[in-house]
Amino acid sequence: MARLFQHFKTPIISLSLPEKFTFPFYYEPHPLSIIAAKELQEYLETQTDWEHNFGLEEGQEGLVIGKMFGVLVVQNQFGELGYLTAYSGKLAESNALPYFVPTVYDTLKEDGFYKKEEAILNQYNQKIKDIENDPSYLTAIANLVQTKSQAEKELSEYKASIKVAKKVRDRKRMNYENNVSLLEQEEIINALNKESQQENIMLKKMTLFWNHKINEATDTLNQFTSELERLKEERKQKSSTLQMQLFEEYSFLNAEGATKSLSQLFSGNPPAGAGECAAPKLLHYAFEHQLQPIALAEFWWGQSPKSEVRQHGQYYPACMGKCEPILNHMLVGLAVDENPFGINPAEGKELPIVYEDDYIVLVNKPAEFLSVPGKRVTDSVYTRMKEKYPEATGPLIVHRLDMSTSGLLLIAKSIDIHKQLQSQFIKRQIKKRYIALLDGNINEDKGSIDLPLRVDLMNRPNQLVCYDYGKAAYTEWEVIERKNSQTKVYFYPKTGRTHQLRVHAAHPEGLHAPIVGDDLYGTKANRLYLHAESITFQHPVSKEMMTIQVESEF
């Protein structure tokens, strides 16, 4: 344990401890966490214990894999402050490396049940592979295919010859009807009928012959396939049993000393990789070794994945899909910072009305103000408008803005007006212009971005760039001003996907310059510098084309 409890190299005597432990899903790193993270980053830059391609060195070959790292500031039994370090998943193909706390349950441990059972599964895999590569099995497959093909060919050819022979007999019948006696006609017809009967008998015999040959080839192949099916079913059952055993064995301590398994925490169906993130590893090790957690921080190290937006060295919260159930259990017994998602960000903020008539309203939504009620906070543009216009019908909100985005929001006072305006959005007849301040220099003056998006199922509400399952997302942009290593731009979204402008700005295949203040895809600031400045639409009653504009505050 002494080797994993890292003493601060940097003087920390002037720093006070936080009053409560870090809320892991949204936080500002405490100064102690920042110092610990910096010391860990120095280690990553200088260590020679292992090799891993983070994609930070020019010309380095191999697969690039960035990693999430974590630091946990702790206090030991003697009152000394130090910190623990961890990484998510595997690093350099290992679950256990010097300097880092181990995984909660090491599936790579040689004498553990997982490796023993995995060895048995590998034996099944080898037996299945041996059969699938057996020349006799491959011959049996080829023989069945060839037999079916030959049967189809010969039966098809014989059926075709029967049709030809039938046409010949039909012509003979017609020719003999007026040229021979009735007795001769009867003899000829009987002969032709007998010829037809013989052909049908031959067809039946051929069909029986080929069915027999096919059955023989099938029986030969079934000797192999039945064994394959048996092995695969046994492998499936053993794999399922092993997985369930792992879910039961993979247990996490909390501050009160209680444990819960993955199976309990996820009702028997945890997502892949659950429990392998840095935060659960750090907390479990701390509780296991009587270390008091003080503060937590996690940061990304390396190139960003192609689908996500990750900034090298940037701090990030714990993921919701894999970590929320685990950390909710592990933090029981700790005094934790208040959940900011339960705080109303619109408290004390006005909702200015920019335009209003009998049918529509346009409001200038402040930043950090929900468009519609959330899970924990109900105060929103919708609830304010419902209170102001109690007689209004329908959904009111025609379109949405992210909570952190300010600007124009269109409201319909009746369900009919809502439908008409929604139709304009669906037909992409409504034009919107946003203004944004980007953290970086954009060299080109204008352009377009076409990156399909889908939700990150393990880390909502973040979005991923996904060419396989993402929805089309298209944005045009132009530069307004460049100043102090920042670029002010206009965005013209042609589609309306969640976080479209934020991802298109930050992603390496987009502008590779996150919007200033973007706490999901960039760096947090006093606000998100994104404003819905202008909207153009056709009035649903007067049919007049209207353009409403509200200048940004930046």
Side-chain angles (χ1 to χ4, degrees):
M1 186 192 77
R3 186 164 53 86
L4 298 183
F5 179 88
Q6 307 295 330
H7 290 88
F8 283 98
K9 300 173 185 176
T10 308
I12 59 170
I13 193 168
S14 62
L15 297 176
S16 59
L17 299 184
E19 294 182 4
K20 294 182 178 180
F21 186 71
T22 313
F23 179 75
F25 303 106
Y26 194 87
Y27 62 89
E28 285 285 344
H30 186 271
L32 287 169
S33 297
I34 294 174
I35 293 173
K38 293 297 182 186
E39 293 186 2
L40 171 55
Q41 290 167 7
E42 288 175 7
Y43 167 78
L44 293 174
E45 291 172 336
T46 59
Q47 66 81 30
T48 56
D49 299 325
W50 41 265
E51 291 184 3
H52 183 92
N53 186 3
F54 293 106
L56 299 176
E57 298 179 17
E58 287 289 337
Q60 189 173 358
E61 296 181 356
L63 181 64
V64 173
I65 304 176
K67 276 288 168 190
M68 193 72 78
F69 288 85
V71 291
L72 180 66
V73 179
V74 292
Q75 194 170 39
N76 65 17
Q77 301 94 315
F78 308 106
E80 296 174 316
L81 282 179
Y83 60 90
L84 304 173
T85 65
Y87 51 85
S88 293
K90 295 178 184 177
L91 182 62
E93 293 301 317
S94 177
N95 278 337
L97 288 174
Y99 196 78
F100 299 100
V101 303
T103 186
V104 176
Y105 187 91
D106 189 1
T107 56
L108 301 180
K109 191 176 180 181
E110 290 299 329
D111 59 348
F113 82 90
Y114 190 88
K115 290 296 288 184
K116 292 176 181 177
E117 292 298 320
E118 189 179 51
I120 295 174
L121 288 176
N122 288 337
Q123 291 176 7
Y124 275 91
N125 292 335
Q126 188 59 51
K127 288 179 181 178
I128 291 169
K129 185 178 179 181
D130 289 344
I131 293 176
E132 291 175 339
N133 292 328
D134 188 335
S136 299
Y137 172 62
L138 299 175
T139 299
I141 294 175
N143 183 49
L144 178 58
V145 171
Q146 183 180 2
T147 302
K148 286 181 176 180
S149 176
Q150 186 68 20
E152 184 180 358
K153 179 176 179 295
E154 292 199 14
L155 288 172
S156 178
E157 288 176 350
Y158 190 70
K159 287 176 182 178
S161 70
I162 289 175
K163 288 182 179 180
V164 172
K166 182 178 182 303
K167 289 180 180 180
V168 172
R169 286 193 295 272
D170 289 343
R171 285 197 298 269
K172 286 182 179 180
R173 288 189 182 96
M174 292 178 63
N175 291 335
Y176 291 137
E177 279 181 358
N178 301 319
N179 299 327
V180 297
S181 65
L182 290 175
L183 181 60
E184 289 174 319
Q185 284 184 34
E186 185 177 354
E187 290 176 353
I188 292 170
I189 289 171
N190 287 338
L192 293 175
N193 288 341
K194 187 174 182 180
E195 182 181 321
S196 176
Q197 290 171 358
Q198 291 297 322
E199 289 173 347
N200 289 330
I201 290 170
M202 185 61 182
L203 178 61
K204 289 180 180 179
K205 287 182 177 179
M206 287 180 66
T207 302
L208 289 171
F209 171 78
W210 283 114
N211 283 343
H212 174 71
K213 297 294 286 183
I214 290 171
N215 288 337
E216 274 189 339
T218 301
D219 289 343
T220 301
L221 181 59
N222 283 344
Q223 295 175 18
F224 297 96
T225 56
S226 59
E227 179 65 6
L228 278 174
E229 289 172 3
R230 182 188 70 80
L231 290 171
K232 288 179 179 179
E233 181 60 29
E234 287 184 10
R235 180 182 65 178
K236 179 181 177 182
Q237 292 177 1
K238 285 185 175 295
S239 178
S240 178
T241 301
L242 174 59
Q243 190 175 54
M244 293 307 299
Q245 187 178 355
L246 176 63
F247 293 163
E248 289 297 333
E249 295 278 343
Y250 212 135
S251 297
F252 303 85
L253 281 166
N254 67 13
E256 295 180 342
T259 61
K260 279 191 178 182
S261 68
L262 276 177
S263 183
Q264 291 173 301
L265 293 168
F266 290 93
S267 301
N269 190 31
E276 294 300 309
C277 295
K281 290 182 182 180
L282 290 165
L283 287 168
H284 184 83
Y285 187 89
F287 296 143
E288 198 172 37
H289 294 86
Q290 293 75 52
L291 298 170
Q292 177 66 30
I294 303 297
L296 172 75
E298 296 180 90
F299 62 87
W300 181 261
W301 195 255
Q303 280 190 20
S304 176
K306 291 186 179 298
S307 60
E308 297 180 70
V309 177
R310 296 291 192 188
Q311 308 290 338
H312 175 61
Q314 176 68 41
Y315 294 100
Y316 289 95
C319 64
M320 301 295 284
K322 295 180 182 178
C323 289
E324 187 176 25
I326 298 172
L327 294 182
N328 283 346
H329 155 70
M330 298 187 83
L331 295 176
V332 172
L334 282 182
V336 180
D337 287 335
E338 185 177 0
N339 181 352
F341 299 125
I343 300 172
N344 179 14
E347 185 72 35
K349 294 181 181 179
E350 297 295 325
L351 188 60
I353 292 177
V354 177
Y355 174 87
E356 180 180 9
D357 61 26
D358 292 339
Y359 309 100
I360 62 173
V361 179
L362 275 116
V363 299
N364 182 19
K365 186 185 83 67
E368 304 307 318
F369 201 122
L370 289 169
S371 294
V372 297
K375 291 182 179 179
R376 297 177 177 87
V377 177
T378 58
D379 190 11
S380 61
V381 175
Y382 172 83
T383 52
R384 298 274 184 104
M385 291 295 101
K386 194 67 176 174
E387 182 179 347
K388 185 174 179 63
Y389 306 104
E391 302 303 319
T393 60
L396 298 180
I397 306 294
V398 180
H399 61 113
R400 299 184 187 185
L401 294 176
D402 288 346
M403 181 181 73
S404 298
T405 304
S406 62
L408 289 165
L409 203 59
L410 187 55
I411 313 296
K413 289 185 176 181
S414 72
I415 191 168
D416 291 335
I417 296 300
H418 187 275
K419 288 179 180 178
Q420 291 184 53
L421 291 171
Q422 274 278 296
S423 176
Q424 291 185 49
F425 269 105
I426 292 170
K427 296 175 182 177
R428 298 184 181 176
Q429 295 170 337
I430 292 180
K431 310 298 181 186
K432 294 192 291 180
R433 185 176 77 186
Y434 290 72
I435 189 169
L437 184 64
L438 307 185
D439 190 9
N441 289 313
I442 308 301
N443 296 324
E444 297 82 6
D445 291 331
K446 62 173 61 177
S448 62
I449 304 164
D450 186 4
L451 295 174
L453 302 176
R454 71 166 176 84
V455 69
D456 184 347
L457 297 174
M458 289 294 103
N459 199 24
R460 297 175 185 269
N462 290 43
Q463 302 294 306
L464 300 175
V465 171
C466 180
Y467 290 95
D468 293 326
Y469 305 106
K471 294 182 179 179
Y474 186 80
T475 305
E476 294 178 354
W477 58 272
E478 63 176 325
V479 170
I480 306 169
E481 180 186 26
R482 299 178 180 90
K483 186 178 180 181
N484 299 327
S485 298
Q486 294 179 330
T487 307
K488 190 176 289 188
V489 300
Y490 283 135
F491 280 129
Y492 304 93
K494 304 304 178 182
T495 52
R497 308 302 176 203
T498 300
H499 294 180
Q500 176 174 319
L501 301 181
R502 298 169 72 170
V503 176
H504 280 185
H507 197 275
E509 295 180 20
L511 293 178
H512 205 186
I515 299 172
V516 173
D518 192 338
D519 57 358
L520 293 180
Y521 309 102
T523 304
K524 186 178 180 181
N526 61 316
R527 64 156 291 175
L528 176 69
Y529 281 70
L530 178 63
H531 177 75
E533 184 185 58
S534 171
I535 186 168
T536 299
F537 61 98
Q538 184 183 60
H539 193 283
V541 177
S542 71
K543 305 306 178 184
E544 172 191 0
M545 292 301 299
M546 300 181 64
T547 296
I548 307 295
Q549 183 170 325
V550 174
E551 298 293 333
S552 70
E553 297 178 355
F554 54 87

